Amino acid sequence: MCTSCTRRALVAGLGASFVVGRSYAQDAPTICSLAPAALQNFTTHATSGNTQIDHAMIAELRKILNVLPISPGFKFIDDPSPNAYAVPDSVVPDTQGTVYIGLNLINREFSNSDWGGVAVAGICAHECGHIYQFFNGYTQLLSGATAQLVELHADYIAGFYLGRDHSHSREHVQTFAQSLFSKGDYNFNNPQHHGTPQQRVQAMTAGYDAGTSATDIPTAIRQGADHVRRL
């Protein structure tokens, strides 16, 4: 992808594969439907193989990092079912945490003429929301028998980004979210894991409203944690 898209490094890959370290595989919760140790079974890529998609992804990730105070690395990954993942391990130099973006997921969403752009923005912002959680105590704060609160909070953060970005109306984001979260063939739509489609839409919409307000990022995200507990 690129080596420096903002003041933070945005580097997509430094090799063909990566094995997750032992400490994360043993200690961290499952995020986005992937057991951390399973990452060793996937191949990572520096690009999507499609120049247009690469340029669109770089532009979107650049905007996300201008809103959220995080500095993750990014890699494309072969995903058997459409999905994306975030881990606190850093595999790209001078970054903190890593977002793995599924090629199957991205290709399918970019081909969706109705929601392609906003879907990719929402998915990437959701995973970047996990990165914020990892390094600001929210993964532990919202932990429970399942990762549901953590996932709903990441939806809230994604909504916050979409609201702060001003690229889409509230109604457009809400309709897109209803469409995306109702897709039963996406692993990240397990109601026992991420919450029901209704809860996810509510979380993202509440985040969007916070993003369009003057609320600062730490306050909005703290309020988001309180909000998802009430869903």
Side-chain angles (χ1 to χ4, degrees), residues 74-150:
F74 297 88
K75 284 180 175 287
F76 287 106
I77 188 171
D78 291 320
D79 52 331
S81 59
N83 223 325
Y85 319 105
V87 299
D89 294 281
S90 301
V91 302
V92 177
D94 301 318
T95 63
Q96 191 175 39
T98 307
V99 172
Y100 291 89
I101 301 166
L103 288 171
N104 191 13
L105 174 64
I106 293 302
N107 285 325
R108 286 181 61 166
E109 287 306 325
F110 267 119
S111 66
N112 185 330
S113 59
D114 292 328
W115 308 116
V118 65
V120 170
I123 290 165
C124 290
H126 174 100
E127 299 308 328
C128 287
H130 284 313
I131 299 296
Y132 185 96
Q133 291 169 335
F134 289 142
F135 298 104
N136 289 276
Y138 285 99
T139 305
Q140 294 75 21
L141 182 66
L142 296 172
S143 64
T146 72
Q148 181 169 305
L149 289 181
V150 175

Side-chain angles (χ1 to χ4, degrees), residues 113-197:
S113 59
D114 292 328
W115 308 116
V118 65
V120 170
I123 290 165
C124 290
H126 174 100
E127 299 308 328
C128 287
H130 284 313
I131 299 296
Y132 185 96
Q133 291 169 335
F134 289 142
F135 298 104
N136 289 276
Y138 285 99
T139 305
Q140 294 75 21
L141 182 66
L142 296 172
S143 64
T146 72
Q148 181 169 305
L149 289 181
V150 175
E151 299 295 349
L152 289 173
H153 189 236
D155 287 333
Y156 180 98
I157 296 173
F160 178 88
Y161 161 69
L162 291 170
R164 190 57 52 98
D165 183 54
H166 302 295
S167 294
H168 305 277
S169 70
R170 185 181 192 274
E171 291 72 22
H172 188 241
V173 168
Q174 193 170 43
T175 304
F176 135 74
Q178 290 170 346
S179 174
L180 180 67
F181 298 149
S182 295
K183 291 179 180 177
D185 60 339
Y186 279 22
N187 285 347
F188 57 61
N189 287 326
N190 182 339
Q192 298 303 315
H193 187 195
H194 281 66
T196 66

